[in-house]
Amino acid sequence: MSDDLFSKAFIGLLCGRVVSTFNGSVLALAVAWHLYQNTGNAFDLALVSLTQIIPILALFLVTGWVADNYSRRNVIMLSTALQGIAIIMIAYLMNTEVFNKWWLFFALLFFSVGRAFISPAIQSIIPNIVSSQNLSRAISIYSVSWNVSLAAAPFFGGLLLLWLDLQVYWLLVISLMVSLIAYKYLPDIKLVSNKDFSMSELFGGVVYLRQNMNVLGSLALDLFIVLFGSVLVLLPVIVTDILQKGPETLGVLRAMPAIGASIVGFYLTARRKSLSKPGKSLFIALFIFSFSIVLVGVSQNIYVLAMALLIYGGSDMISVVVRGAVVQILTPDELRGRVNSLNAIFIASSNELGDFRAATLATFIGPVNSILIGGAMAFAVTAGGLVLFKELYRMDRLVKREE
């Protein structure tokens, strides 16, 4: 349908995702700020990253199977409610007289369990509510709205930290309820499945990835380049120790990657057509992304740093759109949940394990050296990808798989 981009289902998806993304981003900013202010230890930021990825890694087989066998709308809503309970726990812990970081890590772990179930379900539901001819544009619009939320959240999050400080978490509890209301407009689609909880069914996504090198390549490249090139986790350290600024500066800088991604995303959406050479565009974007990481590492000026982060986000947006289109278009619906659960692992591994790597390395050799080493490794990953995934580089267009 030509108007399915304006349907209640798709708009509900966008609104729910924007609010939940805003919440998650403000939560991450606030937790990182308050935790570092309490402990002054960069390794604690690395532990936060671990709490975010452990449930995704531990549950990926189950979460993918659930997304393929049960109502994706119900999975999304129940998981969002679970995250709301986790934020209530965090709000309580942050406002107690005696700060206990270990209970905080437990609450963050609980929050990530909800995220583990949401990710494959919400990614898999897009082709169920948007026609195939509009799928690429829908992915671009979805990515833009997500990045606009990511851009706004740190800026407003920094202000909220100034105004509300530890009370900001209670505001997040209230706003997350908006997501639940928006998700009610998603269709309750009855998936065709035998609900066979067998090992072959659980590993269906893994088998599919082994057979499709283009899907595997796009996910693997994103995994390793962000794993080695993660820099955002170190912004609290850079702002505090190098720039000697406050949370408002952290909020502005943290928003720059999302602003860059939004600019590129708006351009891709306005084109009204897919990238003509998605494979080549992907590798060019990865080289630019690697360059931006090095620029972040050598930047001692706040304006140069802001520009580097803008390029960082803009180049990553191209990778997001290409990867999303490859996964959604080339994967059959009955496997999308399980493939997207693997996609969630790739994303979480690249983000959270990348943050863990960067923060741990920064503890021993400093944030600047940690970032520069990551940039060099990102260039190496891109070059290696050209050798290992030649077919992906030569991909001229995406053709929907016959189901």
Side-chain angles (χ1 to χ4, degrees):
M1 296 173 58
S2 60
D3 61 346
D4 53 13
L5 294 178
F6 302 96
S7 65
K8 288 183 179 180
F10 189 62
I11 293 175
L13 175 68
L14 292 180
C15 291
R17 195 56 169 162
V18 163
V19 174
S20 62
T21 300
F22 181 90
N23 264 31
S25 184
V26 173
L27 178 67
L29 182 76
V31 167
W33 180 259
H34 287 137
L35 183 61
Y36 191 69
Q37 294 300 309
N38 272 282
T39 68
N41 188 350
F43 187 69
D44 286 333
L45 301 179
L47 293 179
V48 170
S49 301
L50 277 186
T51 66
Q52 299 302 291
I53 191 174
I54 288 175
I56 296 176
L57 291 175
L59 299 172
F60 81 95
L61 290 176
V62 176
T63 58
W65 183 86
V66 167
D68 281 337
N69 288 274
Y70 292 94
S71 167
R72 289 165 180 166
R73 184 194 69 173
N74 293 343
V75 172
I76 292 168
M77 293 186 66
L78 288 173
S79 301
T80 301
L82 185 66
Q83 288 187 316
I85 295 173
I87 296 179
I88 291 175
M89 295 170 58
I90 294 170
Y92 173 78
L93 291 169
M94 284 297 191
N95 286 276
T96 55
E97 292 184 3
V98 180
F99 176 76
N100 189 314
K101 68 180 183 180
W102 301 111
W103 278 110
L104 174 63
F105 293 150
F106 174 78
L108 290 171
L109 198 71
F110 193 63
F111 180 87
S112 190
V113 170
R115 178 187 171 193
F117 280 93
I118 287 176
S119 186
I122 206 166
Q123 292 181 60
S124 301
I125 205 172
I126 297 178
N128 297 143
I129 59 180
V130 177
S131 59
S132 58
Q133 61 265 34
N134 284 329
L135 187 56
S136 293
R137 287 188 66 204
I139 293 172
S140 295
I141 294 171
Y142 177 86
S143 299
V144 167
S145 64
W146 179 66
N147 278 286
V148 167
S149 182
L150 285 178
F155 175 75
F156 287 105
L159 294 178
L160 289 173
L161 282 174
L162 283 176
W163 297 336
L164 301 177
D165 196 22
L166 294 173
Q167 304 304 317
V168 68
Y169 302 100
W170 295 115
L171 180 63
L172 298 182
V173 173
I174 297 172
S175 63
L176 193 65
M177 297 302 104
V178 177
S179 291
L180 282 174
I181 296 174
Y183 288 145
K184 285 181 65 67
Y185 290 97
L186 294 175
D188 188 15
I189 298 173
K190 304 299 181 182
L191 302 177
V192 178
S193 172
N194 56 16
K195 292 184 171 60
D196 180 18
F197 195 77
S198 64
M199 294 303 294
S200 60
E201 284 293 306
L202 290 176
F203 281 92
V206 176
V207 173
Y208 178 77
L209 279 188
R210 291 178 59 187
Q211 297 171 348
N212 195 310
M213 291 300 292
N214 286 336
V215 176
L216 176 62
S218 63
L219 298 185
L221 284 172
D222 181 76
L223 163 65
F224 287 106
I225 198 167
V226 180
L227 176 64
F228 292 117
S230 182
V231 299
L232 301 185
V233 69
L234 296 178
L235 286 183
V237 182
I238 294 173
V239 170
T240 301
D241 297 344
I242 298 178
L243 299 179
Q244 297 182 350
K245 300 291 184 179
E248 69 280 4
T249 300
L250 173 63
V252 171
L253 290 177
R254 187 62 180 81
M256 295 310 293
I259 293 175
S262 299
I263 293 172
V264 172
F266 277 122
Y267 167 73
L268 294 176
T269 302
R271 281 167 53 93
R272 294 181 175 272
K273 59 181 180 179
S274 304
L275 293 170
S276 58
K277 295 182 180 297
K280 185 176 181 180
S281 298
L282 173 63
F283 280 96
I284 291 175
L286 293 179
F287 273 114
I288 296 175
F289 182 79
S290 303
F291 167 76
S292 71
I293 296 169
V294 175
L295 188 58
V296 168
V298 300
S299 299
Q300 298 294 315
N301 180 281
I302 188 172
Y303 299 105
V304 177
L305 179 57
M307 181 58 64
L309 292 170
L310 194 76
I311 298 172
Y312 180 94
S315 56
D316 184 55
M317 180 62 173
I318 297 177
S319 174
V320 168
V321 171
V322 173
R323 183 182 71 245
V326 167
V327 172
Q328 303 292 14
I329 293 176
L330 300 185
T331 305
D333 188 54
E334 65 271 14
L335 283 172
R336 281 199 185 101
R338 280 161 286 181
V339 172
N340 276 313
S341 71
L342 291 170
N343 188 17
I345 285 184
F346 280 73
I347 293 173
S349 298
S350 61
N351 290 329
E352 273 68 38
L353 282 183
D355 288 347
F356 180 78
R357 179 212 60 82
T360 301
L361 201 57
T363 303
F364 297 102
I365 64 175
V368 173
N369 290 330
S370 175
I371 292 171
L372 291 178
I373 290 176
M377 293 302 298
F379 274 115
V381 168
T382 306
L386 284 171
V387 176
L388 294 176
F389 303 107
K390 296 179 181 179
E391 182 181 346
L392 177 61
Y393 175 78
R394 292 193 293 263
M395 181 188 295
D396 289 330
R397 60 192 181 94
L398 288 169
V399 180
K400 183 176 175 58
R401 183 189 185 278
E402 294 298 328
E403 300 184 20

